[in-house]
Amino acid sequence: MSKPANHLPPRASFERGGAKRVMVDRRSVLAGMASLAALPAGRAMAEAREIVLVNWGGDAIGYFGEAFAEPYEAEHGVDVVIDGSGPSQGKIRNMVESGAVTWDVCDSGGGSSIQLGSGGYLREVDYSVVDRDRLLPGMDFRWGVANYMYSFVLAYDTRAFGGDGAPRGWADFFNVRDFPGTRALLKDVLANLEVALMGAGIPRDEVYPITPAKEKLAWETIRAILPDTVFAGTGAEIQQLMRNRDIVMGCFWNTRVKAIHEETGGLWDWTWNQGVVVPGAWVVPKGNPAGDAVWPFIASMQSPERQVRLFTLFGNAPANPQAAALVPPALKRFNATDPENYARQLPIDSAWYGENYARINKDYIDTISM
Amino acid sequence: MTVSRFAVSPRRIRRPDAYWLLVAPALVLIAAFYLLPLLGILQLSVREFDGEGEASVLGNYALLFSDAGIQRMLWRTVRVCAITTVLTVGFGYVLAYAMVTVGTRQRAVLLSAVLLTFWLSVLIRAFAWTILLGTGGPAETVVNALVRPFVALGAVDAPVRLIRTEAGVVIGMVHAMLPYAVLPLFANMRGIDRGLVLAARGLGATRWGAFRRVWMPLSMPGVIAALILIFVFSLGFYVTPALLGGGKVVMVAEYVRISLEQTLRWGLAAMLASTMLIATLALALLMGRVVDVRTMAGAK
């Protein structure tokens, strides 16, 4: 973008005159275009000793680098490059279909790994290298490995509901009479279906299996609070809603809630009660340039120390259950996978989302849009 | 006169060939980088069926008639865009009229005010509106003061919220679209001979009569062009509804993004995009029937 595609030094182009100069110019431009077209393939060949890890950008680039990339580079002499461009399902599918894969390890989700994997866009995980024992039960997917965990928790403004008046679970969230004020949900269905069912009074251990009747109940529950609800799309929007006091409570990622909790000196708080725990998952696109070199790298990220490092930097809870004991006591209350917090929450059924996400997300969008 | 005409006409016959040679590279580029991908989208919309039930060639298009959610979303899009278009062209007309009638200095001020918003990023403007329209913000305070008498009568629910409502989306979109209406209207009105209005006045027309019977008909091509231009642009709006709509005003552009990025329903996304394209082409054809496009584009 910054440099025009003119390979001729200024003096050379000055010496050549008229039509001839035009010819040379055109040839060099054509050569430049050809090298551009060859770029993806060329890069993949040249950088086989490099692993490209893709996450969602922002502060996460530096934190993932410090927790995972730097120690691995030091141990194995393999360059790990962090790319923060956001490995959405659409981008992964596009990359694999166009045959120009430049990503190796992508920060995706449990359900997404199943959706993408069954579509034929991902490599199956090599569990002879990656360790199943270093994962919580059910977090070893066919096309993905849980890399960290996060939760959808009930966050609330203590100035609106302090002390004994604080909401204790989703039934309170959906009770606009006793807990008045605007609340917020995310624009994506993930976990909101479960949240609505618990809000309708279904006990945590009876949320699954999801049936058509339960889906209907969930949409009715959400529809009932629509006039009092706004829907956020991004993490920045979530934080703005809490910071501006546009809302009194919300169902948000615990990492964002933690950030606002610390920023406001505890004015915003949350409960782990009935939180919905969701795995982030490493996935590997088919035809990734680094090949099998990704598996030892993913295995290295299962190290409890490295996962605790990421947790203390960024708030993403360790996916390896052995890590909880290493979390400093003062930080335990922020850890979604701390045994005490985990026991109060509902682990999400990723397999169900892998099969039903497209349909259920459409129903959710149709429900929340007026 | 006659001689010069003869001298010109042979050249006129030869000219088109040379022009085509000049235009050819651009046409090839457009075909390669614009038309081919477009055909790919059209093909995707019939090849990949994402709904439930039996897959068929036109399965995605059948959703337009069978899926209540998609229908509601499309109607919402059309409704919001129509309201935005009418308001934008209404404000734009007044502003453009003011710009051709005031003195040079005032015109420069008005023009720079319009251009300034034109140059600001849509994202920044949408964020600015989230502050202006926000809970307890200036706009909400003013509106609520204005509607207080109606609240007492029970005609309006209090307090009125602007942010994260359809009204907020329309306000943000009108603001973003205004330059696109003012500039063509201004160009059109500058071309109108104001002597005609003076002549009408001289022949005894009232001020309003001269405006209605002389100025308005002459400015109509600009108005219709602006209406269609704004409507087509509004259809593709993404940032403003996403930010000001509070997630509840989901319009077609965001629906397409969700289908592409998250739910991987590419066939559905391609169908919606193709439908928008066909609707836009139909509007362009309509515009061709109502106004002389070549005059409007300055080719004549």
Side-chain angles (χ1 to χ4, degrees):
Chain A
M1 285 285 264
S2 55
K3 251 181 126 182
N6 185 357
H7 301 283
L8 277 180
R11 194 161 50 91
S13 66
F14 181 71
E15 279 167 7
R16 295 188 175 97
K20 200 174 177 191
R21 200 192 74 188
V22 174
M23 292 263 293
V24 172
D25 266 349
R26 193 186 58 189
R27 195 181 303 146
S28 67
V29 168
L30 284 177
M33 280 172 69
S35 67
L36 268 177
L39 195 65
R43 253 187 71 182
M45 294 274 285
E47 295 171 354
R49 300 191 59 80
E50 167 187 288
I51 295 173
V52 179
L53 183 151
V54 194
N55 67 12
W56 297 89
D59 295 338
I61 297 176
Y63 296 150
F64 277 59
E66 192 180 331
F68 298 134
E70 282 162 24
Y72 194 73
E73 282 175 342
E75 277 168 23
H76 294 83
V78 176
D79 284 340
V80 178
V81 177
I82 313 249
D83 174 343
S85 50
S88 69
Q89 290 200 50
K91 283 187 193 157
I92 292 176
R93 176 178 163 175
N94 192 15
M95 195 172 262
V96 175
E97 277 193 353
S98 64
V101 180
T102 57
W103 293 348
D104 290 304
V105 180
C106 302
D107 183 1
S108 191
S112 304
S113 80
I114 295 162
Q115 212 185 334
L116 280 168
S118 49
Y121 303 108
L122 300 179
R123 298 182 60 186
E124 284 192 40
V125 176
D126 183 352
Y127 281 107
S128 68
V129 183
V130 178
D131 192 350
R132 282 182 204 271
D133 293 337
R134 295 180 139 196
L135 293 164
L136 283 157
M139 298 302 163
D140 52 333
F141 306 106
R142 187 166 160 199
W143 297 280
V145 188
N147 51 8
Y148 57 77
M149 314 280 286
Y150 60 99
S151 289
F152 289 86
V153 294
L154 200 175
Y156 57 92
D157 189 335
T158 56
R159 289 159 288 187
F161 318 108
D164 289 343
R168 291 163 197 280
W170 299 116
D172 295 342
F173 184 90
F174 285 91
N175 180 353
V176 287
R177 199 168 49 87
D178 298 327
F179 295 87
T182 307
R183 49 263 283 136
L185 292 168
L186 281 157
K187 263 187 229 177
D188 189 275
V189 69
L190 192 68
N192 284 325
L193 183 79
E194 289 81 350
V195 159
L197 288 176
M198 288 186 272
I202 300 210
R204 188 159 51 110
D205 52 358
E206 288 171 26
V207 168
Y208 297 122
I210 305 282
T211 60
K214 283 185 187 165
E215 285 174 19
K216 200 162 158 267
L217 173 64
W219 307 146
E220 278 165 10
T221 311
I222 290 172
R223 211 170 278 130
I225 61 158
L226 271 187
D228 301 284
T229 311
V230 296
F231 294 85
T234 64
E237 224 177 318
I238 292 173
Q239 286 178 304
Q240 197 201 7
L241 285 170
M242 289 194 274
R243 205 177 278 138
N244 293 358
R245 299 186 69 187
D246 281 342
I247 53 168
V248 294
M249 55 175 137
C251 170
F252 294 140
W253 306 312
N254 68 297
T255 46
R256 296 288 181 166
V257 176
K258 174 179 179 249
I260 291 295
H261 174 80
E262 285 167 351
E263 186 186 306
T264 59
L267 290 176
W268 273 87
D269 212 337
W270 80 98
T271 172
W272 290 113
N273 278 347
Q274 300 182 316
V276 181
V277 197
V278 179
W282 297 126
V283 301
V284 181
K286 247 185 199 160
N288 68 304
D292 290 339
V294 291
W295 306 123
F297 174 56
I298 289 176
S300 82
M301 293 192 281
Q302 296 186 295
S303 137
E305 290 79 15
R306 288 175 201 186
Q307 293 197 349
V308 170
R309 185 89 197 103
L310 184 73
F311 165 71
T312 50
L313 288 169
F314 200 37
N316 304 62
N320 183 344
Q322 291 137 32
L326 302 177
V327 170
L331 296 179
K332 274 188 192 297
R333 68 164 300 216
F334 297 109
N335 180 8
T337 53
D338 187 82
E340 200 181 302
N341 301 332
Y342 197 70
R344 290 155 71 184
Q345 303 179 77
L346 172 72
I348 205 160
D349 184 348
S350 297
W352 186 82
Y353 274 97
E355 223 168 273
N356 296 288
Y357 176 73
R359 178 180 64 83
I360 210 76
N361 196 51
K362 183 194 173 301
D363 289 351
Y364 179 70
I365 299 287
D366 289 347
T367 304
I368 67 171
S369 54
M370 296 178 291
Chain B
M1 277 295 270
T2 350
V3 176
S4 70
R5 235 199 213 161
F6 272 113
V8 167
S9 58
R11 240 195 276 157
R12 274 208 179 142
I13 294 167
R14 259 186 292 133
R15 257 189 202 158
D17 300 328
Y19 279 146
W20 278 112
L21 277 178
L22 285 173
V23 174
L27 284 179
V28 169
L29 273 178
I30 287 175
F33 292 110
Y34 191 72
L35 290 180
L36 281 182
L38 215 57
L39 285 175
I41 296 281
L42 284 172
Q43 193 207 358
L44 190 64
S45 72
V46 292
R47 194 187 67 205
E48 200 167 298
F49 178 63
D50 304 313
E52 285 115 61
E54 199 70 24
S56 65
V57 178
L58 292 176
N60 288 316
Y61 289 90
L63 290 176
L64 284 178
F65 302 98
S66 62
D67 190 302
I70 289 176
Q71 282 173 351
R72 265 192 300 138
M73 181 274 298
L74 285 174
W75 276 122
R76 176 169 47 245
T77 307
V78 170
R79 185 176 68 233
V80 170
C81 290
I83 296 171
T84 302
T85 306
V86 171
L87 288 177
T88 309
V89 175
F91 287 129
Y93 194 92
V94 175
L95 205 53
Y97 185 71
M99 274 161 63
V100 286
T101 43
V102 295
T104 332
R105 187 172 292 173
Q106 289 102 313
R107 179 183 303 156
V109 171
L110 284 174
L111 194 63
S112 51
V114 170
L115 284 179
L116 202 68
T117 59
F118 191 57
W119 290 328
L120 271 178
S121 136
V122 176
L123 192 65
I124 290 172
R125 280 185 275 167
F127 267 120
W129 278 113
T130 63
I131 296 165
L132 286 174
L133 301 176
T135 314
E140 205 184 83
T141 313
V142 171
V143 169
N144 278 309
L146 288 177
V147 300
R148 197 162 295 141
F150 300 99
V151 174
L153 290 171
V156 182
D157 286 338
V160 176
R161 289 260 177 269
L162 293 173
I163 184 107
R164 301 185 185 91
T165 62
E166 208 170 286
V169 173
V170 169
I171 291 172
M173 281 176 66
V174 167
H175 180 241
M177 285 292 160
L178 203 56
Y180 294 95
V182 172
L183 295 176
L185 282 169
F186 177 60
N188 169 271
M189 288 180 190
R190 285 193 78 165
I192 298 175
D193 186 352
R194 297 187 57 208
L196 294 172
V197 179
L198 289 177
R201 292 279 284 146
L203 291 171
T206 58
R207 207 174 249 273
W208 166 244
F211 176 80
R212 193 176 60 83
R213 295 174 66 180
V214 177
W215 184 270
M216 279 234 300
L218 286 172
S219 60
M220 261 310 137
V223 170
I224 292 169
L227 282 174
I228 292 174
L229 187 76
I230 304 296
F231 189 76
V232 168
F233 273 17
S234 308
L235 284 178
F237 240 78
Y238 170 64
V239 171
T240 310
L243 277 174
L244 295 174
K248 287 192 268 195
V249 190
V250 178
M251 286 169 47
V252 68
E254 190 174 9
Y255 210 90
V256 168
R257 186 199 62 81
I258 293 169
S259 307
L260 273 181
E261 289 261 298
Q262 283 165 268
T263 56
L264 289 190
R265 294 170 70 146
W266 284 17
L268 176 67
M271 181 276 285
L272 287 171
S274 307
T275 306
M276 286 296 116
L277 179 72
I278 293 161
T280 307
L281 286 177
L283 279 172
L285 278 179
L286 187 75
M287 180 164 82
R289 292 193 65 133
V290 178
V291 294
D292 188 344
V293 182
R294 286 169 67 190
T295 316
M296 225 178 60
K300 230 161 62 180

